[in-house]
Amino acid sequence: MDRKEWYLEYEITIDRPGLLGDISSLLGMLSINIVSINGIDSGRRGLLIRASSKNQILRLESILKTVETIKVTKIREPKLRDRLAVRHGRYIQRDMDDKKTFRFVRDELGLLVDFMAELFKQEGHKLIGIRGMPRVGKTESVVASSVCANKKWLFVSSTLLKQTIRKELIKDEYNADNIFILDGIVSRRRADERHWQLVREIMKLPAVKVIEHPDIFVQHSEFSMEDFDYIIELRNNDDEEITYEIVQDHNLFTEPDFGFDF
């Protein structure tokens, strides 16, 4: 019989020695296996568990409601954020008003790379925007995530080394398994119609596309923010404001001889 994974999270109301052992014993008596376990933020634990039937989970939930030392906060089929929370011991911050926006700071680059790698592993079209100030690690994180996902990445426009503008791809590069990376500011400042035609072709591919500076990208294209499946914000610290005034006024984007055209 196939065994299904579930996510269990509880808040510790009365901390005492042996509490985790009691929970583990209860799971064992119900023939529920623990896949992984970790502390989640402060005073909470998250567990990935595996059961052969939903009835086992319902019995577990019923019993845990009578336990005074813990309070169950989540018991459900695991989402991507749940799996990453158990893996890293913290939840990814999500915008309360815009559920597709996720926030990270530079100290969480490992979590960010893991999150994007899981997105990259999923098949089909996916449009991801990433906001952040210069040198915060946007492009490097996308490349590292591609490596973790065992995917090939292609720069359609970028400033990682020098400004790169692609106007065409070779036949083998039109591959839905590739990760296509664009810089919205570079495409706006230096690209011609041939580049934008390539961008339109790439957008039609059932592949993952990552757009740095998505707000600038949509201002000068037929695409909109509603077309994005995920928006990622990367900051040096929680209080940093992401603004495009410094980026747009930077001399690197106005020097005509700086860059490569392909």
Side-chain angles (χ1 to χ4, degrees):
M1 182 181 296
D2 292 336
R3 298 177 67 84
K4 187 176 181 179
E5 286 192 355
W6 298 80
Y7 177 66
L8 168 65
E9 182 182 292
Y10 61 83
E11 180 181 342
I12 301 173
T13 55
I14 303 175
D15 198 3
R16 61 172 177 78
L19 177 59
L20 180 58
D22 292 342
I23 301 296
S24 302
S25 298
L26 173 61
L27 293 172
M29 287 187 289
L30 293 173
S31 299
I32 298 174
N33 296 334
I34 297 176
V35 178
S36 56
I37 183 171
N38 201 352
I40 306 296
D41 296 326
S42 177
R44 287 185 294 162
R45 285 198 181 103
L47 299 87
L48 282 178
I49 56 180
R50 187 175 291 131
S52 56
S53 71
K54 188 174 182 179
N55 288 333
Q56 291 173 293
I57 301 301
L58 294 176
R59 287 198 297 270
L60 172 65
E61 186 175 17
S62 177
I63 295 171
L64 290 179
K65 285 181 179 179
T66 67
V67 178
E68 296 180 350
T69 52
I70 68 169
K71 178 184 177 181
V72 175
T73 53
K74 296 181 181 71
I75 184 164
R76 64 192 182 194
E77 295 184 28
K79 302 178 181 180
L80 175 57
R81 291 179 70 223
D82 298 331
R83 295 184 184 278
L84 293 177
V86 174
R87 197 178 301 171
H88 293 271
R90 68 180 76 177
Y91 258 102
I92 297 172
Q93 291 187 18
R94 197 172 190 174
D95 192 289
M96 295 299 294
D97 299 320
D98 184 1
K99 296 299 184 182
K100 67 181 180 183
T101 299
F102 298 85
R103 294 172 174 167
F104 299 83
V105 294
R106 191 170 172 82
D107 288 344
E108 300 173 326
L109 284 181
L111 178 57
L112 170 59
V113 169
D114 205 2
F115 175 62
M116 286 197 293
E118 292 297 327
L119 296 180
F120 292 174
K121 292 175 185 177
Q122 300 172 9
E123 295 183 358
H125 165 80
K126 195 172 274 77
L127 186 58
I128 301 170
I130 180 166
R131 298 180 179 126
M133 298 302 288
R135 293 176 293 279
V136 74
K138 299 184 297 298
T139 308
E140 294 84 353
S141 297
V142 176
V143 171
S145 302
S146 303
V147 174
C148 290
N150 197 27
K151 296 292 184 83
K152 178 181 178 181
W153 68 93
L154 292 173
F155 289 118
V156 182
S157 59
S158 174
T159 59
L160 185 61
L161 298 176
K162 289 188 176 182
Q163 288 189 42
T164 300
I165 292 287
R166 297 290 299 268
K167 299 181 180 179
E168 60 183 2
L169 301 180
I170 62 176
K171 184 178 179 180
D172 291 343
E173 291 178 328
Y174 285 96
N175 190 325
D177 207 38
N178 292 338
I179 308 296
F180 297 92
I181 307 170
L182 295 85
D183 187 306
I185 293 179
V186 175
S187 290
R188 172 200 169 186
R189 289 297 181 93
R190 297 195 64 243
D192 57 16
E193 181 55 31
R194 288 181 59 197
H195 171 78
W196 282 106
Q197 182 57 40
L198 174 62
V199 171
R200 296 183 192 104
E201 293 176 7
I202 290 172
M203 286 296 181
K204 295 177 182 178
L205 291 175
V208 175
K209 280 76 68 170
V210 182
I211 312 293
E212 296 182 33
H213 310 297
D215 306 272
I216 303 300
F217 177 79
V218 300
Q219 288 176 11
H220 303 276
S221 70
E222 62 267 36
F223 304 99
S224 69
M225 295 306 296
E226 284 70 32
D227 295 321
F228 285 83
D229 301 293
Y230 297 89
I231 297 293
I232 294 170
E233 296 181 350
L234 178 59
R235 294 174 169 83
N236 286 294
N237 55 70
D238 290 320
D239 299 325
E240 184 178 56
E241 180 184 359
I242 298 175
T243 174
Y244 292 102
E245 295 177 4
I246 298 176
V247 178
Q248 294 187 81
D249 293 339
H250 203 289
N251 289 333
L252 288 180
F253 295 102
T254 58
E255 294 178 1
D257 297 328
F258 185 86
F260 298 113
D261 287 355
F262 295 94

